[in-house]
Amino acid sequence: MAAAPDPSPPNVTDVTTNEPECSRQEVLSCALPVWYEQFKAITIKSMFITLPQEFVEYLNSNGLVLPEGCCLPSHIRNDVKSDESISDDDDKIEWSDSDSNPATDSKAPSFPELIRQISDGIGALGGAVVPKLNWSSPRDATWIAPSNTLQCTTAAEVVLLLKSSDFVAHDLSTVFEYSSDRNGTAKSYIAYTLCLRKWMPIDPSSEFRCFVYENQLIGISQRDYTAFYHHLPPHKEAIRREILDFFQLKITGRFPNTNYVFDVYREEEVKM
């Protein structure tokens, strides 16, 4: 499963004093809509929707009121409302639907064309998708999803995850935080894009994160660093060899940055 490459992996010889920096352009090169066409044949099928500025401002605003015509089913709303973890007044979630009292509820924003595009995209990708912005998926917000995963089958679930995610907020506000030219006067224009990726069940033990420095693959690790998978060590050399072959055949020389990170999902054959 492909992830937006990290433009600045650490220098393995000196992490504290010689860490390579990246430019704004290198960060922009790591956005999924930028590199997707180049690697379309070896990554998960995706669709892209350019976000209107009004929706970007909505994502940046405080509170959580779903847009008009974008209501979750009642059983999902009830599940979220009953979750004690979101009971803090500062994180109050306000649900807007046809039964709400307009005199007391916050006014719901309206993005009918965008909601239609999201719904059409979900249908075109088989009925279930994983949403993300240019760089990040809202994987920190799965606690609010009915399935506790990134799987979305409705536009309302997509918007709910995006609006609840700090990772998405980072894309919108501080994506150039560690760029070498972050203090420059030239402001890079970002065309914020909603990326809908076809949903597929992923075995976390089959995901690997690969580190490239000066166009050389210098390291491979588990993507899931929170668990030890006992069945992997006997296949260590085969995994290393397959990923190295895949990198040399499918990736090297095709990505514009010299330092980056990419993820692979290993099935019967390695799949980026």
Side-chain angles (χ1 to χ4, degrees), residues 105-167:
D105 286 352
S106 299
K107 179 175 174 56
S110 180
F111 311 104
E113 178 60 20
L114 176 61
I115 299 306
R116 183 194 64 77
Q117 289 178 304
I118 296 174
S119 298
D120 290 348
I122 292 173
L125 291 171
V129 300
V130 171
K132 65 182 300 179
L133 288 196
N134 302 49
W135 295 273
S136 303
S137 66
R139 60 188 183 277
D140 60 318
T142 55
W143 59 270
I144 203 171
S147 64
N148 293 124
T149 71
L150 290 171
Q151 181 182 17
C152 295
T153 58
T154 67
E157 292 172 285
V158 170
V159 175
L160 180 64
L161 282 173
L162 296 178
K163 194 74 170 72
S164 306
S165 172
D166 288 339
F167 291 170

Side-chain angles (χ1 to χ4, degrees), residues 29-130:
S29 297
C30 293
L32 174 56
V34 174
W35 60 259
Y36 179 77
E37 284 300 322
Q38 178 69 268
F39 299 102
K40 184 176 181 179
I42 55 172
T43 192
I44 297 170
K45 184 177 181 180
S46 304
M47 296 182 66
F48 304 100
I49 302 171
T50 301
L51 294 177
Q53 181 60 31
E54 294 81 1
F55 187 77
V56 174
E57 293 172 359
Y58 160 74
L59 291 179
N60 274 322
S61 64
N62 294 327
L64 205 172
V65 179
L66 291 180
E68 290 180 1
C70 192
C71 296
L72 293 166
S74 59
H75 70 279
I76 297 177
R77 297 202 307 273
N78 292 336
D79 285 346
V80 176
K81 281 182 176 181
S82 64
D83 191 330
E84 294 180 357
S85 66
I86 59 172
S87 60
D88 191 289
D89 289 339
D90 291 336
D91 296 314
K92 184 178 179 182
I93 293 181
E94 303 174 74
W95 303 103
S96 174
D97 58 29
S98 58
D99 297 327
S100 298
N101 183 343
T104 59
D105 286 352
S106 299
K107 179 175 174 56
S110 180
F111 311 104
E113 178 60 20
L114 176 61
I115 299 306
R116 183 194 64 77
Q117 289 178 304
I118 296 174
S119 298
D120 290 348
I122 292 173
L125 291 171
V129 300
V130 171

Side-chain angles (χ1 to χ4, degrees), residues 38-39 41-42 245-252 254 272:
Q38 178 69 268
F39 299 102
I42 55 172
D245 290 346
F246 178 80
F247 169 72
Q248 293 173 338
L249 181 64
K250 300 291 187 179
I251 300 178
T252 187
R254 300 176 65 191
M272 179 178 169

